[in-house]
Amino acid sequence: MYPAELVKPMREDLTKVGFEELHTSEAVESAIAKEGTTLVVVNSVCGCAAANARPGARTSLDNAKKPDHIVTVFAGVDKEAVDAARAHMVPFPPSSPCMALFKDGELVHMLERHHIEGRPAALIAENLKDAYNEHC
């Protein structure tokens, strides 16, 4: 588990644009079960989260259509919440960072780490915007 002071700025990278942090499995279950669309970002301390995932997620929100709810869990910190989120992402293997779009509780779009690592944030944002335009 990472120290809170280490991950604080990484958390704020998403919460400052409106992402709700989830820390428990109950919070994850409630968020995913909400009517409409929910983007879940599994945040991470790794470089690809900083350079690609978080900027891509933030930029994706600059779109006419966007998720009704945006939430985040932090790998290596919020174990219970991350495990609960990943349980909804099956059949995709656990990875962080990753992003999943749910519609009425069903997984409709997934970006795994291998879709994020080494790809520019703008490409990740466009991928998410395409998913929003289709599902939101």
Side-chain angles (χ1 to χ4, degrees), residues 70-91:
I70 53 175
V71 300
T72 182
V73 296
F74 208 108
V77 179
D78 302 318
K79 182 176 177 5
E80 180 186 334
V82 172
D83 289 349
R86 287 178 173 161
H88 288 276
M89 297 174 188
V90 172

Side-chain angles (χ1 to χ4, degrees), residues 1-133:
M1 300 301 270
Y2 298 105
E5 58 276 359
L6 172 73
V7 300
K8 186 177 187 283
M10 298 172 209
R11 288 182 184 273
E12 291 172 348
D13 211 8
L14 293 177
T15 59
K16 70 182 178 188
V17 296
F19 280 82
E20 176 188 359
E21 286 184 302
L22 306 178
H23 304 285
T24 66
S25 59
E26 293 83 9
V28 170
E29 296 301 330
S30 176
I32 291 175
K34 286 182 179 175
E35 187 175 317
T37 51
T38 302
L39 177 66
V40 178
V41 174
V42 178
N43 202 347
S44 172
V45 299
C46 72
C48 65
N52 313 82
R54 291 191 300 267
R58 287 191 320 264
T59 303
S60 76
L61 300 176
D62 184 22
N63 194 52
K65 292 184 175 183
K66 54 187 124 192
D68 299 308
H69 316 283
I70 53 175
V71 300
T72 182
V73 296
F74 208 108
V77 179
D78 302 318
K79 182 176 177 5
E80 180 186 334
V82 172
D83 289 349
R86 287 178 173 161
H88 288 276
M89 297 174 188
V90 172
F92 299 96
S95 68
S96 57
C98 69
M99 302 174 201
L101 182 65
F102 295 88
K103 184 171 186 173
D104 298 327
E106 297 296 320
L107 180 64
V108 294
H109 188 75
M110 183 75 187
L111 277 173
E112 298 175 84
R113 179 186 177 103
H114 70 88
H115 297 124
I116 296 168
E117 193 171 31
R119 296 202 171 54
L123 185 63
I124 294 161
E126 286 306 313
N127 180 295
L128 290 171
K129 288 177 183 182
D130 288 345
Y132 304 162
N133 290 338

